[in-house]
Amino acid sequence: TQLLEQSPQFLSIQEGENLTVYCNSSSVFSSLQWYRQEPGEGPVLLVTVVTGGEVKKLKRLTFQFGDARKDSSLHITAAQPGDTGLYLCAGAEGNNRLAFGKGNQVVVIP
Amino acid sequence: NAGVMQNPRHLVRRRGQEARLRCSPMKGHSHVYWYRQLPEEGLKFMVYLQKENIIDESGMPKERFSAEFPKEGPSILRIQQVVRGDSAAYFCASSPRQPGQGNSPLHFGNGTRLTVT
């Protein structure tokens, strides 16, 4: 099993602040995906990172894939209440499944 | 294009009853996955199916749990003789390809929240 560990587990910040959350593994992944899940809903894909060292931007969200393809980070600039949610990273485990980390619960206080 | 549809959204069963959860994948998607989510455990893979075939059921308990994806109709996750520990949110996801092929993302439904009393 290729464990994905996400840290911090919970993060609460004020609106306008920046934050970074992490997804780490001892295994190499061909790609990693980030999802956001809001209460009562299913996870929604935000981005897929494929190349080691890759940086992808989605408005105020910046995703980075580690050079060794074992870890990834998500940085949110000037967080807004709408960024509140559970951020999940996921990697392919063999051909048959996506394995998920336990998530980073982010709360942005207005 | 409708997304992944799951029903019911909420299901309450007494211990010993059967729970039947349904999932209609996105149009054109032939790969269906079931996950279980508990607050302390995160999303755990249960089973992966293609039309009429179970491809990987290694995450599903061998007893009381079964899944199918018939040629016609939705995928069904069936839990027989439910116990309190089965209470969780069950999510279905679909994709056009296997996860290991072309970085295929999963499209999730909004889940069925099962409560066993």
Side-chain angles (χ1 to χ4, degrees), chain B residues 43-79:
Chain B
L43 267 172
K44 295 295 186 185
F45 168 82
M46 297 182 73
V47 61
Y48 162 41
L49 310 102
Q50 292 183 31
K51 278 288 187 182
E52 300 184 89
N53 291 306
I54 297 175
I55 307 301
D56 182 352
E57 56 182 349
S58 59
M60 196 162 66
K62 301 241 182 311
E63 296 182 355
R64 303 188 298 108
F65 286 73
S66 61
E68 62 179 18
F69 187 17
K71 187 176 179 181
E72 301 290 339
S75 176
I76 305 288
L77 178 67
R78 184 184 293 110
I79 311 173

Short mmCIF file of all heavy atoms in Angstrom, two decimals, chain B residues 43-79:
data_model
loop_
_atom_site.label_atom_id
_atom_site.label_comp_id
_atom_site.label_asym_id
_atom_site.label_seq_id
_atom_site.Cartn_x
_atom_site.Cartn_y
_atom_site.Cartn_z
N LEU B 43 -11.07 8.52 2.89
CA LEU B 43 -11.73 7.76 1.82
C LEU B 43 -10.99 6.45 1.61
O LEU B 43 -9.82 6.44 1.26
CB LEU B 43 -11.67 8.55 0.52
CG LEU B 43 -12.83 9.45 0.16
CD1 LEU B 43 -12.49 10.28 -1.06
CD2 LEU B 43 -14.10 8.66 -0.08
N LYS B 44 -11.72 5.35 1.80
CA LYS B 44 -11.11 4.04 1.64
C LYS B 44 -11.72 3.31 0.44
O LYS B 44 -12.93 3.17 0.35
CB LYS B 44 -11.33 3.18 2.90
CG LYS B 44 -10.63 3.71 4.13
CD LYS B 44 -9.12 3.67 3.98
CE LYS B 44 -8.44 4.06 5.29
NZ LYS B 44 -6.98 4.14 5.14
N PHE B 45 -10.87 2.85 -0.44
CA PHE B 45 -11.31 2.09 -1.61
C PHE B 45 -12.00 0.79 -1.18
O PHE B 45 -11.54 0.11 -0.27
CB PHE B 45 -10.09 1.76 -2.47
CG PHE B 45 -10.35 0.75 -3.56
CD1 PHE B 45 -10.91 1.14 -4.77
CD2 PHE B 45 -10.04 -0.59 -3.38
CE1 PHE B 45 -11.15 0.21 -5.77
CE2 PHE B 45 -10.26 -1.52 -4.37
CZ PHE B 45 -10.82 -1.12 -5.58
N MET B 46 -13.11 0.50 -1.84
CA MET B 46 -13.80 -0.75 -1.57
C MET B 46 -13.74 -1.69 -2.78
O MET B 46 -13.25 -2.81 -2.69
CB MET B 46 -15.26 -0.50 -1.21
CG MET B 46 -15.45 0.31 0.06
SD MET B 46 -17.19 0.53 0.44
CE MET B 46 -17.62 -1.13 1.00
N VAL B 47 -14.23 -1.21 -3.93
CA VAL B 47 -14.37 -2.11 -5.07
C VAL B 47 -14.34 -1.31 -6.36
O VAL B 47 -14.76 -0.15 -6.39
CB VAL B 47 -15.67 -2.94 -4.95
CG1 VAL B 47 -16.90 -2.04 -4.94
CG2 VAL B 47 -15.79 -4.00 -6.04
N TYR B 48 -13.84 -1.96 -7.41
CA TYR B 48 -13.76 -1.36 -8.75
C TYR B 48 -14.44 -2.32 -9.72
O TYR B 48 -14.12 -3.52 -9.76
CB TYR B 48 -12.29 -1.15 -9.11
CG TYR B 48 -11.98 -0.93 -10.58
CD1 TYR B 48 -12.79 -0.14 -11.39
CD2 TYR B 48 -10.84 -1.51 -11.13
CE1 TYR B 48 -12.46 0.05 -12.72
CE2 TYR B 48 -10.51 -1.32 -12.46
CZ TYR B 48 -11.33 -0.55 -13.25
OH TYR B 48 -11.00 -0.35 -14.57
N LEU B 49 -15.39 -1.78 -10.48
CA LEU B 49 -16.14 -2.60 -11.42
C LEU B 49 -16.14 -1.98 -12.80
O LEU B 49 -16.10 -0.76 -12.95
CB LEU B 49 -17.61 -2.73 -10.97
CG LEU B 49 -17.90 -3.14 -9.55
CD1 LEU B 49 -18.31 -1.93 -8.70
CD2 LEU B 49 -19.02 -4.16 -9.50
N GLN B 50 -16.19 -2.83 -13.80
CA GLN B 50 -16.54 -2.43 -15.14
C GLN B 50 -17.85 -3.14 -15.46
O GLN B 50 -18.28 -4.01 -14.72
CB GLN B 50 -15.45 -2.80 -16.13
CG GLN B 50 -14.18 -2.01 -15.95
CD GLN B 50 -13.12 -2.35 -17.00
OE1 GLN B 50 -13.46 -2.69 -18.13
NE2 GLN B 50 -11.87 -2.28 -16.62
N LYS B 51 -18.43 -2.78 -16.57
CA LYS B 51 -19.74 -3.36 -16.90
C LYS B 51 -19.71 -4.89 -16.77
O LYS B 51 -18.93 -5.57 -17.42
CB LYS B 51 -20.13 -3.00 -18.35
CG LYS B 51 -20.73 -1.61 -18.47
CD LYS B 51 -22.11 -1.53 -17.89
CE LYS B 51 -22.76 -0.18 -18.16
NZ LYS B 51 -24.10 -0.09 -17.55
N GLU B 52 -20.56 -5.39 -15.89
CA GLU B 52 -20.78 -6.81 -15.65
C GLU B 52 -19.59 -7.53 -15.04
O GLU B 52 -19.62 -8.76 -14.88
CB GLU B 52 -21.19 -7.53 -16.95
CG GLU B 52 -22.47 -6.99 -17.57
CD GLU B 52 -22.91 -7.77 -18.79
OE1 GLU B 52 -23.65 -8.75 -18.62
OE2 GLU B 52 -22.48 -7.40 -19.90
N ASN B 53 -18.53 -6.82 -14.70
CA ASN B 53 -17.35 -7.48 -14.13
C ASN B 53 -16.86 -6.77 -12.88
O ASN B 53 -16.81 -5.54 -12.83
CB ASN B 53 -16.20 -7.49 -15.15
CG ASN B 53 -16.50 -8.43 -16.31
OD1 ASN B 53 -16.81 -9.59 -16.12
ND2 ASN B 53 -16.43 -7.88 -17.51
N ILE B 54 -16.48 -7.55 -11.88
CA ILE B 54 -15.78 -7.03 -10.71
C ILE B 54 -14.29 -7.16 -11.01
O ILE B 54 -13.79 -8.26 -11.22
CB ILE B 54 -16.14 -7.79 -9.43
CG1 ILE B 54 -17.62 -7.62 -9.12
CG2 ILE B 54 -15.28 -7.30 -8.26
CD1 ILE B 54 -18.10 -8.44 -7.94
N ILE B 55 -13.59 -6.03 -11.05
CA ILE B 55 -12.16 -6.05 -11.39
C ILE B 55 -11.29 -6.18 -10.15
O ILE B 55 -10.31 -6.91 -10.13
CB ILE B 55 -11.77 -4.77 -12.16
CG1 ILE B 55 -12.69 -4.55 -13.37
CG2 ILE B 55 -10.31 -4.84 -12.59
CD1 ILE B 55 -12.68 -5.70 -14.36
N ASP B 56 -11.66 -5.45 -9.09
CA ASP B 56 -10.85 -5.44 -7.87
C ASP B 56 -11.78 -5.22 -6.70
O ASP B 56 -12.37 -4.15 -6.59
CB ASP B 56 -9.79 -4.34 -7.95
CG ASP B 56 -8.87 -4.29 -6.74
OD1 ASP B 56 -9.12 -5.00 -5.75
OD2 ASP B 56 -7.88 -3.52 -6.79
N GLU B 57 -11.94 -6.22 -5.85
CA GLU B 57 -12.80 -6.08 -4.67
C GLU B 57 -11.99 -6.24 -3.40
O GLU B 57 -12.52 -6.57 -2.34
CB GLU B 57 -13.94 -7.09 -4.71
CG GLU B 57 -13.49 -8.54 -4.83
CD GLU B 57 -14.66 -9.51 -4.90
OE1 GLU B 57 -15.81 -9.10 -4.67
OE2 GLU B 57 -14.41 -10.69 -5.20
N SER B 58 -10.70 -5.98 -3.49
CA SER B 58 -9.80 -6.23 -2.37
C SER B 58 -10.06 -5.31 -1.17
O SER B 58 -9.64 -5.61 -0.07
CB SER B 58 -8.34 -6.10 -2.82
OG SER B 58 -8.10 -4.80 -3.33
N GLY B 59 -10.76 -4.18 -1.39
CA GLY B 59 -11.03 -3.28 -0.28
C GLY B 59 -12.38 -3.52 0.38
O GLY B 59 -12.76 -2.80 1.31
N MET B 60 -13.09 -4.50 -0.08
CA MET B 60 -14.44 -4.76 0.41
C MET B 60 -14.43 -5.96 1.35
O MET B 60 -13.84 -6.99 1.02
CB MET B 60 -15.36 -5.03 -0.78
CG MET B 60 -16.84 -4.94 -0.48
SD MET B 60 -17.81 -4.76 -1.97
CE MET B 60 -17.53 -6.32 -2.76
N PRO B 61 -15.09 -5.85 2.52
CA PRO B 61 -15.16 -7.02 3.41
C PRO B 61 -15.76 -8.21 2.67
O PRO B 61 -16.67 -8.08 1.87
CB PRO B 61 -16.09 -6.54 4.53
CG PRO B 61 -15.97 -5.06 4.52
CD PRO B 61 -15.76 -4.68 3.09
N LYS B 62 -15.23 -9.39 2.97
CA LYS B 62 -15.65 -10.59 2.24
C LYS B 62 -17.05 -11.04 2.63
O LYS B 62 -17.76 -11.66 1.83
CB LYS B 62 -14.66 -11.73 2.50
CG LYS B 62 -13.23 -11.43 2.09
CD LYS B 62 -12.75 -12.39 1.04
CE LYS B 62 -11.32 -12.20 0.60
NZ LYS B 62 -10.96 -10.84 0.25
N GLU B 63 -17.44 -10.71 3.84
CA GLU B 63 -18.77 -11.12 4.31
C GLU B 63 -19.71 -9.92 4.29
O GLU B 63 -19.31 -8.79 4.57
CB GLU B 63 -18.68 -11.70 5.72
CG GLU B 63 -17.85 -12.97 5.77
CD GLU B 63 -17.80 -13.58 7.16
OE1 GLU B 63 -18.35 -12.96 8.09
OE2 GLU B 63 -17.22 -14.67 7.31
N ARG B 64 -20.93 -10.17 3.95
CA ARG B 64 -22.06 -9.23 4.01
C ARG B 64 -22.05 -8.17 2.91
O ARG B 64 -23.07 -7.57 2.65
CB ARG B 64 -22.15 -8.54 5.38
CG ARG B 64 -22.26 -9.49 6.56
CD ARG B 64 -22.55 -8.73 7.86
NE ARG B 64 -21.48 -7.80 8.21
CZ ARG B 64 -21.58 -6.48 8.12
NH1 ARG B 64 -22.69 -5.91 7.67
NH2 ARG B 64 -20.57 -5.72 8.48
N PHE B 65 -20.91 -7.89 2.29
CA PHE B 65 -20.83 -6.85 1.27
C PHE B 65 -20.74 -7.47 -0.12
O PHE B 65 -20.01 -8.45 -0.33
CB PHE B 65 -19.58 -5.97 1.49
CG PHE B 65 -19.69 -5.02 2.64
CD1 PHE B 65 -19.62 -5.48 3.94
CD2 PHE B 65 -19.84 -3.65 2.42
CE1 PHE B 65 -19.72 -4.59 5.01
CE2 PHE B 65 -19.93 -2.76 3.48
CZ PHE B 65 -19.86 -3.24 4.77
N SER B 66 -21.46 -6.89 -1.05
CA SER B 66 -21.35 -7.32 -2.44
C SER B 66 -21.63 -6.12 -3.34
O SER B 66 -22.26 -5.14 -2.93
CB SER B 66 -22.34 -8.45 -2.76
OG SER B 66 -23.67 -8.02 -2.58
N ALA B 67 -21.13 -6.20 -4.56
CA ALA B 67 -21.33 -5.11 -5.52
C ALA B 67 -21.55 -5.69 -6.89
O ALA B 67 -21.05 -6.77 -7.22
CB ALA B 67 -20.11 -4.17 -5.53
N GLU B 68 -22.30 -4.95 -7.70
CA GLU B 68 -22.52 -5.35 -9.07
C GLU B 68 -22.67 -4.13 -9.95
O GLU B 68 -23.03 -3.04 -9.48
CB GLU B 68 -23.77 -6.24 -9.18
CG GLU B 68 -25.06 -5.56 -8.78
CD GLU B 68 -26.27 -6.47 -8.94
OE1 GLU B 68 -26.12 -7.69 -9.02
OE2 GLU B 68 -27.39 -5.94 -8.99
N PHE B 69 -22.43 -4.33 -11.23
CA PHE B 69 -22.60 -3.26 -12.22
C PHE B 69 -23.15 -3.97 -13.46
O PHE B 69 -22.41 -4.36 -14.35
CB PHE B 69 -21.27 -2.58 -12.50
CG PHE B 69 -21.35 -1.36 -13.38
CD1 PHE B 69 -22.56 -0.69 -13.59
CD2 PHE B 69 -20.20 -0.86 -13.97
CE1 PHE B 69 -22.62 0.44 -14.39
CE2 PHE B 69 -20.26 0.28 -14.77
CZ PHE B 69 -21.45 0.92 -14.98
N PRO B 70 -24.47 -4.13 -13.52
CA PRO B 70 -25.06 -4.91 -14.60
C PRO B 70 -24.98 -4.18 -15.94
O PRO B 70 -24.71 -2.97 -16.01
CB PRO B 70 -26.52 -5.08 -14.15
CG PRO B 70 -26.77 -3.93 -13.23
CD PRO B 70 -25.47 -3.63 -12.56
N LYS B 71 -25.24 -4.95 -16.98
CA LYS B 71 -25.20 -4.39 -18.33
C LYS B 71 -26.16 -3.22 -18.47
O LYS B 71 -25.86 -2.21 -19.11
CB LYS B 71 -25.55 -5.49 -19.34
CG LYS B 71 -25.39 -5.08 -20.80
CD LYS B 71 -25.68 -6.27 -21.70
CE LYS B 71 -25.54 -5.86 -23.16
NZ LYS B 71 -25.84 -6.97 -24.07
N GLU B 72 -27.34 -3.35 -17.89
CA GLU B 72 -28.31 -2.27 -17.89
C GLU B 72 -28.57 -1.86 -16.45
O GLU B 72 -28.72 -2.70 -15.57
CB GLU B 72 -29.62 -2.74 -18.53
CG GLU B 72 -29.47 -3.23 -19.97
CD GLU B 72 -29.16 -2.11 -20.94
OE1 GLU B 72 -29.45 -0.94 -20.60
OE2 GLU B 72 -28.60 -2.40 -22.02
N GLY B 73 -28.64 -0.57 -16.22
CA GLY B 73 -29.00 -0.10 -14.89
C GLY B 73 -27.80 0.33 -14.06
O GLY B 73 -26.64 0.23 -14.50
N PRO B 74 -28.08 0.81 -12.85
CA PRO B 74 -27.02 1.37 -12.03
C PRO B 74 -26.15 0.30 -11.38
O PRO B 74 -26.51 -0.88 -11.34
CB PRO B 74 -27.81 2.15 -10.96
CG PRO B 74 -29.08 1.37 -10.81
CD PRO B 74 -29.40 0.88 -12.20
N SER B 75 -25.04 0.75 -10.84
CA SER B 75 -24.23 -0.12 -9.98
C SER B 75 -24.90 -0.17 -8.61
O SER B 75 -25.46 0.83 -8.14
CB SER B 75 -22.81 0.43 -9.87
OG SER B 75 -22.06 -0.35 -8.96
N ILE B 76 -24.83 -1.32 -7.98
CA ILE B 76 -25.44 -1.51 -6.67
C ILE B 76 -24.37 -1.98 -5.68
O ILE B 76 -23.61 -2.91 -5.98
CB ILE B 76 -26.55 -2.58 -6.70
CG1 ILE B 76 -27.60 -2.26 -7.77
CG2 ILE B 76 -27.18 -2.74 -5.32
CD1 ILE B 76 -28.50 -1.11 -7.43
N LEU B 77 -24.33 -1.33 -4.53
CA LEU B 77 -23.54 -1.83 -3.40
C LEU B 77 -24.54 -2.33 -2.37
O LEU B 77 -25.41 -1.58 -1.92
CB LEU B 77 -22.66 -0.71 -2.81
CG LEU B 77 -21.82 -1.11 -1.58
CD1 LEU B 77 -20.74 -2.11 -1.98
CD2 LEU B 77 -21.18 0.12 -0.94
N ARG B 78 -24.42 -3.59 -2.02
CA ARG B 78 -25.37 -4.22 -1.10
C ARG B 78 -24.66 -4.62 0.18
O ARG B 78 -23.60 -5.24 0.13
CB ARG B 78 -26.00 -5.45 -1.75
CG ARG B 78 -27.08 -6.12 -0.91
CD ARG B 78 -27.60 -7.40 -1.55
NE ARG B 78 -28.33 -7.14 -2.78
CZ ARG B 78 -27.89 -7.46 -3.99
NH1 ARG B 78 -26.73 -8.07 -4.14
NH2 ARG B 78 -28.63 -7.22 -5.05
N ILE B 79 -25.25 -4.24 1.30
CA ILE B 79 -24.72 -4.63 2.60
C ILE B 79 -25.81 -5.41 3.31
O ILE B 79 -26.89 -4.87 3.61
CB ILE B 79 -24.31 -3.42 3.46
CG1 ILE B 79 -23.44 -2.44 2.65
CG2 ILE B 79 -23.57 -3.89 4.71
CD1 ILE B 79 -23.14 -1.13 3.38
#
